[in-house]
Amino acid sequence: MKNLYTLLYALSLILINPWGGSRGEIWTQPKVFVVLLIVLSNLSFLWEERKLLTFSRQWKVCLILWGVFLTVGAISTLNSPFPERSFWKTKWETAGCTGC
């Protein structure tokens, strides 16, 4: 198990896609994919031990505070002048013009 985590964390730092068309496809997408693999592997380990899990009051408070933090961030991004840059592709990226 330790070797799997070592491999995944190393790949999250060094993995690139040399055939990518844009900078995001070359550098970002492979790293996001590896982080997704890390999350899915952690969730699968938790699912196997789900009967043994107990959540403390502090854990629940932290969950609520993280939810509030992420909600405030999403609201502020949606109210910004260019929210589509944070959540969705812009019309310039889909047209292939990244420096416009």
Side-chain angles (χ1 to χ4, degrees):
M1 192 57 57
K2 185 177 178 181
N3 293 334
L4 174 67
Y5 278 128
T6 303
L7 175 68
L8 288 176
Y9 283 111
L11 287 176
S12 72
L13 295 175
I14 63 172
L15 191 65
I16 63 169
N17 176 13
W19 298 280
S22 68
R23 187 174 68 179
E25 290 175 358
I26 294 170
W27 292 100
T28 308
Q29 288 179 354
K31 291 168 180 47
V32 169
F33 177 70
V34 172
V35 170
L36 177 67
L37 287 178
I38 292 170
V39 169
L40 291 176
S41 66
N42 284 330
L43 288 175
S44 72
F45 300 142
L46 287 174
W47 184 257
E48 292 173 358
E49 304 293 329
R50 67 185 176 275
K51 303 240 190 263
L52 302 174
L53 290 178
T54 58
F55 299 108
S56 66
R57 178 175 165 81
Q58 180 183 3
W59 188 92
K60 292 174 186 175
V61 169
C62 288
L63 177 67
I64 291 170
L65 290 175
W66 266 109
V68 169
F69 173 74
L70 293 174
T71 302
V72 169
I75 290 170
S76 66
T77 301
L78 288 172
N79 288 328
S80 70
F82 305 106
E84 63 275 356
R85 287 188 152 217
S86 297
F87 289 121
W88 307 279
K89 283 188 171 184
T90 63
K91 61 182 176 183
W92 303 113
E93 290 173 352
T94 57
C97 180
T98 56
C100 298

